[in-house]
Amino acid sequence: MLESWRWYGPLDRIGLEEIAQTGAHGIVTALHEVPYGEVWTREAIAARKGLIASSRLDLAWNVVESLPVHERIKRGEGDLSSLFANYRQSLANLAAEGITTICYNFMPLLDWTRTELESPVAGGGTCLRFEAVHICALDLFMLEREGAEDDHPPELRARARAWFEASDKAARDRLTHAIMAGLPGAYDRYDIPALRAALTLYEGIDADALRANYARFLKEVVPVAQELGMRLCVHPDDPPRDILGLPRIVSDEDDIAWILDCLPVPENGLTLCSGSLGANPQNDVPAIAARFAERIHFAHLRNVAKDPDGSFEEAAHLAGDTDMVALVAVLLAEERRRRDQGRRDAQIPFRPDHGHALLSDLGRDTHPGYPLIGRMRGLAELRGVIKALSHENVGWG
């Protein structure tokens, strides 16, 4: 497996020299400064690629995360021909620079969503947390979304009201800030009125409508990926549940099967995110990985610990509710299968996803969920699992 590291480019407070010291060689990045829907020019791609390579640190841009899908495409709104053309041109420009693995998502409006960015963990440090009571309070009492009561059980609604009535403006502002933190790079953030207005644009779009728009997207771009020798790999919803009235359609095994069957070709693939899928109590992540192994082109390895009310938080990479050793074993077995077929692309790139903020991470103000020390700890733990599972002589003596 190819050790990789997410880097936000010039926006990132973690430098390439520091990344090199983690032992990772692949860089997962994007042109976050380019507005959604515009073409990634070959010149801009080459400049970012050159910036990474010129470091002389044995680093290379190996995965794009993400080439974003415009919200109008997700909504199926108006004449989309220019947006599809721009997406295809960006793919062509990336392929011309030798970057052929493209992670993207089809989450409406919001990317990964958390309600707390600095939740304390045992022994010190902090983690990202999704608190069901807080998202319920936001939905019912801050956004005052019509129909929100039907999406939350009575006991949770009562707890949310109690939190809201006891909260002050600072607490509510922190919650709004945390929700917005999942939007990548230099992207517009919303206050409550703006978020309320943005949500209205999705009124009338249910899961079936969103699937139809997604199928159209795939049919518009996957054939070009086939021509270019690229791999598109969708990222699961995070969290894997409807949120704020927005439908989510990449949340479980059945969703993934529908997507991969929509265009059953290798170029229509999956980013296996163990944390996103692991937040759904119904998901057996190693089993999902085994079922779709041949279509996994990229992996995010992290872990979560879930609560009965739907809350969850980022756990240490080898802790939490997902059997990470079993999951890595599935990915290594798939790599062996690919090597046996003589494939040159047998190696699966992976990155240690969201880590705890530890030691000198605290107060450094890196992108939420993307500290240096916490992710390096995760990478070291995963490296040990991979090494142990790959060792031919499992016995001693």
Side-chain angles (χ1 to χ4, degrees):
M1 297 176 68
L2 179 59
E3 296 181 5
S4 305
W5 189 275
R6 189 170 194 181
W7 182 58
Y8 283 92
L11 302 170
D12 206 322
R13 294 180 182 272
I14 297 172
L16 293 171
E17 296 81 4
E18 293 175 293
I19 294 172
Q21 292 179 53
T22 71
H25 297 288
I27 294 295
V28 178
T29 194
L31 303 184
H32 294 294
E33 64 276 14
V34 178
Y36 283 20
E38 293 189 10
V39 172
W40 288 15
T41 67
R42 184 168 178 182
E43 293 75 17
I45 295 165
R48 183 62 52 83
K49 180 182 174 183
L51 177 64
I52 295 166
S54 67
S55 64
R56 299 181 181 180
L57 296 170
D58 194 23
L59 299 174
W61 187 1
N62 65 331
V63 177
V64 169
E65 186 181 346
S66 296
L67 182 58
V69 180
H70 197 278
E71 293 299 313
R72 284 181 52 212
I73 292 176
K74 297 174 188 176
R75 296 194 298 265
E77 178 184 289
D79 181 2
L80 301 176
S81 57
S82 63
L83 288 175
F84 286 129
N86 287 355
Y87 204 96
R88 291 189 292 262
Q89 186 61 57
S90 295
L91 291 177
N93 293 341
L94 285 162
E97 291 300 321
I99 305 167
T100 58
T101 301
I102 313 297
C103 173
Y104 70 98
N105 75 69
F106 214 79
M107 288 181 264
L109 191 61
L110 299 174
D111 205 320
W112 61 265
T113 303
R114 300 292 184 273
T115 62
E116 298 177 40
L117 303 182
E118 297 179 333
S119 183
V121 297
T126 65
C127 71
L128 302 179
R129 180 171 174 82
F130 180 92
E131 180 61 57
V133 167
H134 293 167
I135 203 74
C136 182
L138 175 74
D139 202 7
L140 269 66
F141 308 118
M142 294 170 65
L143 290 170
E144 299 176 305
R145 182 176 63 85
E146 184 176 356
E149 295 84 359
D150 297 335
D151 293 342
H152 305 278
E155 186 274 338
L156 193 63
R157 297 201 302 265
R159 291 167 56 203
R161 179 177 292 279
W163 178 87
F164 178 75
E165 292 176 349
S167 67
D168 57 14
K169 183 178 183 300
R172 297 171 193 174
D173 286 347
R174 283 195 299 272
L175 174 57
T176 304
H177 172 71
I179 298 293
M180 292 300 103
L183 296 174
Y187 195 73
D188 291 338
R189 269 57 177 162
Y190 303 107
D191 58 14
I192 290 298
L195 180 56
R196 187 183 293 123
L199 287 170
T200 64
L201 297 176
Y202 276 91
E203 289 180 355
I205 299 177
D206 61 10
D208 288 340
L210 189 62
R211 283 194 185 94
N213 296 337
Y214 188 14
R216 179 182 177 187
F217 168 77
L218 291 174
K219 291 171 184 176
E220 290 278 357
V221 302
V222 170
V224 173
Q226 290 181 280
E227 295 172 6
L228 296 170
M230 307 185 82
R231 297 288 190 264
L232 300 178
C233 36
V234 65
H235 187 286
D237 301 325
D238 187 9
R241 50 172 283 185
D242 293 356
I243 187 168
L244 304 182
L246 298 169
R248 296 292 183 99
I249 58 170
V250 195
S251 293
D252 59 25
E253 185 171 354
D254 290 341
D255 289 342
I256 295 169
W258 180 89
I259 293 162
L260 300 187
D261 288 344
C262 189
L263 282 179
V265 295
E267 292 79 10
N268 178 28
L270 174 66
T271 295
L272 193 286
C273 180
S274 57
S276 297
L277 292 170
N280 183 339
Q282 305 304 314
N283 286 339
D284 182 334
V285 181
I288 290 173
R291 177 176 175 183
F292 303 114
E294 64 181 357
R295 304 281 284 278
I296 294 172
H297 304 312
F298 181 37
H300 292 176
L301 300 182
R302 63 180 173 89
N303 224 321
V304 296
K306 298 184 289 292
D307 296 335
D309 69 354
S311 302
F312 63 89
E313 67 182 27
E314 310 286 352
H317 286 73
L318 300 188
D321 299 331
T322 294
D323 186 339
M324 191 63 68
V325 176
L327 175 58
V328 171
V330 170
L331 298 176
L332 290 173
E334 173 60 18
E335 284 191 335
R336 289 193 295 272
R337 187 190 69 82
R338 296 178 188 184
R339 285 196 300 270
D340 291 344
Q341 292 179 335
R343 287 173 50 175
R344 292 195 294 179
D345 64 342
Q347 202 170 25
I348 298 173
F350 80 96
R351 64 175 180 84
D353 205 359
H354 303 168
H356 290 175
L358 305 170
L359 303 172
S360 58
D361 292 330
L362 299 172
R364 189 171 179 181
D365 196 27
T366 56
H367 284 74
Y370 291 93
L372 175 62
I373 304 301
R375 281 188 292 164
M376 184 168 66
R377 171 188 167 180
L379 178 59
E381 292 175 344
L382 294 167
R383 182 183 295 142
V385 170
I386 292 166
K387 187 70 173 178
L389 291 174
S390 301
H391 204 288
E392 292 183 355
N393 299 312
V394 296
W396 300 90

